[in-house]
Amino acid sequence: MRGSNRSSNRWRWAFVAVIYVFNIMYFMFQGGKTPMMLFVILNVLIIYLFLGQWSGIRLVQGSRVVANNSSGDGTMHSGMSVEVSLGIRVPGFYPLPYVLVRDRLLRHDGQSIPFETSFVPNWKRTGEVSYTTPPLKRGVYQFAPTQCTTRDVFGLFEHSGSFEANGTFSVVPQAVPLRNWYRIRRGMRGPHSHASAPRAAKETTQINGVREYLYGDKLSRVHWNATAKTGEWKSKAFERESLPRTIVILDRHSEAYGVKQERFELAVSVTASIIELGTRHETAMGLVSPGERSTVLPPRTGIEQREQMIRHLTVVEPDAAQPLFVSIQKLEPVWEPGTLVVIISGAANEDMYRTMSWLSRKGVSLTYIGVDESDARFGRLIKTAWLQSLRAKGWTALSVRQLQELPSVLEGGGAS
């Protein structure tokens, strides 16, 4: 781009030089007031064009303000737009007729969204421009250096400069709020929780705060600092081993979703919705996402675990080279008996059946959520007979075509 501009500028300067030579010859051989006047005017214009190289546009400065229509917690979900405002200042005194501003928004996968606008500088050689992005897909975004361009009043020569006002933000997957799901509710205690809960919920060595002193507490449990400050007996509160254990498997095999990217985006949104539900119920949530770079997050509770999973879902792509059945066999230690495993995939074939059969032999509790074709005119890809065959094995099998269907499907207890 710069090479072509330089070449074009050389041709334009050559054109100006030819005109100047003819003007000198006209002035020398013709003489008189008219040639003299033309010679003076041409010299003034050439000086003006030459001084354009020091217009100050090369040292342009600017700042960027990004405002998004985010949700109440400040998180930006896919499908939302961003409002961008640029404040630009061009140093110097050279008159500028206008400034053309080119901005680019870069996604983590290399995709870019270009924006172009212009403004007329005021007497302080400053100006403001703004634009609104189209609805953004999930991902991590950053701005490329902003290019500013101006021309002389004749439009002959172009001068440009750039400035960097780095701004990075994330667009997380869209999620739908879920009130409850009987599988999560059952998984919180397990089928024999009334007998196993006291033994399973052992305390860890991680202090989780301060509680009231209970008769019989050992002296090693007394929180002496809190006791001294409050004048009342206080004991240390330790975190307990979390009883709920849920692992969500996101199938990233591209063949499971066909040619439409929308089905994989739906799978990611369903995964995010279930993670949000489990986190809200203080369930130990884990994520298994086999692909080009597989991600395995063992079940844990807490906000940090939730944020780590959402960060992964923000940039995940359907790039798995092998079917899900091949990938999960390499993760043998992950599948502990009694864990609720939720498989989210667009596959409804023999390979998925083998995957669930293999996991079932590990003693886990299985749920399959299939992402279906959203347009019913093309026919349902996940047939009712397929779901019934999974339910006949004692597994929970559901399917959704749109994210808005997920609450009714899950809270309905198994409607497809």
Side-chain angles (χ1 to χ4, degrees), residues 54-62 87-96 98-101 119 121-127 148-150 163:
W54 292 275
S55 62
I57 195 70
R58 295 181 181 177
L59 302 177
V60 64
Q61 302 169 354
I88 301 172
R89 178 181 179 274
V90 183
F93 303 95
Y94 185 86
L96 300 176
Y98 68 94
V99 176
L100 183 64
V101 182
F119 71 96
N122 56 24
W123 64 275
K124 294 182 179 180
R125 296 170 64 84
T126 62
C148 295
T149 305
T150 187
F163 66 88

Side-chain angles (χ1 to χ4, degrees), residues 18-33:
V18 170
I19 293 179
Y20 189 70
V21 169
F22 277 102
N23 184 263
I24 292 178
M25 295 175 63
Y26 179 62
F27 173 71
M28 293 176 60
F29 293 104
Q30 180 67 28
K33 294 182 178 180

Side-chain angles (χ1 to χ4, degrees), residues 15-312:
F15 176 71
V16 172
V18 170
I19 293 179
Y20 189 70
V21 169
F22 277 102
N23 184 263
I24 292 178
M25 295 175 63
Y26 179 62
F27 173 71
M28 293 176 60
F29 293 104
Q30 180 67 28
K33 294 182 178 180
T34 301
M36 181 65 179
M37 182 180 62
L38 291 176
F39 180 73
V40 172
I41 292 175
L42 186 59
N43 278 276
V44 172
L45 293 178
I46 289 177
I47 292 174
Y48 165 76
L49 295 176
F50 185 75
L51 291 178
Q53 301 181 55
W54 292 275
S55 62
I57 195 70
R58 295 181 181 177
L59 302 177
V60 64
Q61 302 169 354
S63 60
R64 180 185 288 109
V65 177
V66 178
N68 57 63
N69 302 319
S70 61
S71 55
D73 58 356
T75 304
M76 187 174 180
H77 296 273
S78 60
M80 294 182 177
S81 300
V82 169
E83 296 179 359
V84 182
S85 298
L86 291 170
I88 301 172
R89 178 181 179 274
V90 183
F93 303 95
Y94 185 86
L96 300 176
Y98 68 94
V99 176
L100 183 64
V101 182
R102 295 186 179 94
D103 212 3
R104 280 195 307 143
L105 183 60
L106 305 176
R107 194 169 179 261
H108 66 270
D109 59 353
Q111 298 181 18
S112 65
I113 306 175
F115 302 95
E116 185 173 308
T117 184
S118 63
F119 71 96
V120 176
N122 56 24
W123 64 275
K124 294 182 179 180
R125 296 170 64 84
T126 62
E128 293 185 0
V129 295
S130 61
Y131 59 87
T132 302
T133 68
L136 299 176
K137 300 188 296 183
R138 60 177 178 83
V140 178
Y141 293 87
Q142 65 178 357
F143 290 93
T146 303
Q147 302 289 331
C148 295
T149 305
T150 187
R151 290 177 179 269
D152 54 76
V153 293
F154 305 105
L156 290 177
F157 297 99
E158 181 180 284
H159 311 285
S160 62
S162 64
F163 66 88
E164 291 190 19
N166 292 331
T168 303
F169 61 92
S170 297
V171 179
V172 302
Q174 188 177 5
V176 63
L178 301 173
R179 293 192 302 271
N180 211 335
W181 183 27
Y182 81 102
R183 296 291 289 173
I184 292 288
R185 188 168 63 248
R186 180 181 299 177
M188 292 181 65
R189 292 292 180 179
H192 306 291
S193 60
H194 60 282
S196 62
R199 296 190 299 272
K202 298 178 181 179
E203 289 182 339
T204 66
T205 58
Q206 182 68 34
I207 298 178
N208 193 30
V210 180
R211 64 170 175 81
E212 297 294 331
Y213 176 82
L214 299 178
Y215 179 78
D217 283 348
K218 297 180 180 179
L219 288 178
S220 59
R221 294 190 61 113
V222 176
H223 199 295
W224 297 108
N225 290 338
T227 300
K229 289 180 180 180
T230 61
E232 299 178 357
W233 288 93
K234 300 291 183 180
S235 295
K236 300 174 184 176
F238 295 94
E239 288 187 357
R240 290 183 173 272
E241 293 181 354
S242 181
L243 288 172
R245 291 180 57 85
T246 302
I247 296 179
V248 182
I249 301 178
L250 175 62
D251 188 1
R252 289 165 56 185
H253 192 217
S254 58
E255 295 184 4
Y257 303 96
V259 297
K260 288 193 174 182
Q261 185 76 9
E262 289 80 2
R263 295 185 66 204
F264 181 73
E265 294 300 318
L266 175 58
V268 174
S269 295
V270 171
T271 303
S273 300
I274 294 178
I275 289 174
E276 295 285 357
L277 173 64
T279 303
R280 193 166 61 252
H281 283 275
E282 299 183 352
T283 302
M285 299 296 297
L287 177 65
V288 173
S289 176
E292 183 176 339
R293 292 185 178 181
S294 298
T295 296
V296 179
L297 300 176
R300 291 192 182 92
T301 58
I303 299 299
E304 292 183 0
Q305 175 78 349
R306 177 254 181 197
E307 292 179 350
Q308 192 172 0
M309 290 188 287
I310 294 300
R311 280 198 300 268
H312 171 74

Side-chain angles (χ1 to χ4, degrees), residues 324-337:
L324 185 61
F325 177 68
V326 178
S327 301
I328 63 169
Q329 294 183 78
K330 302 176 182 178
L331 307 173
E332 184 81 23
V334 177
W335 318 114
E336 296 185 8

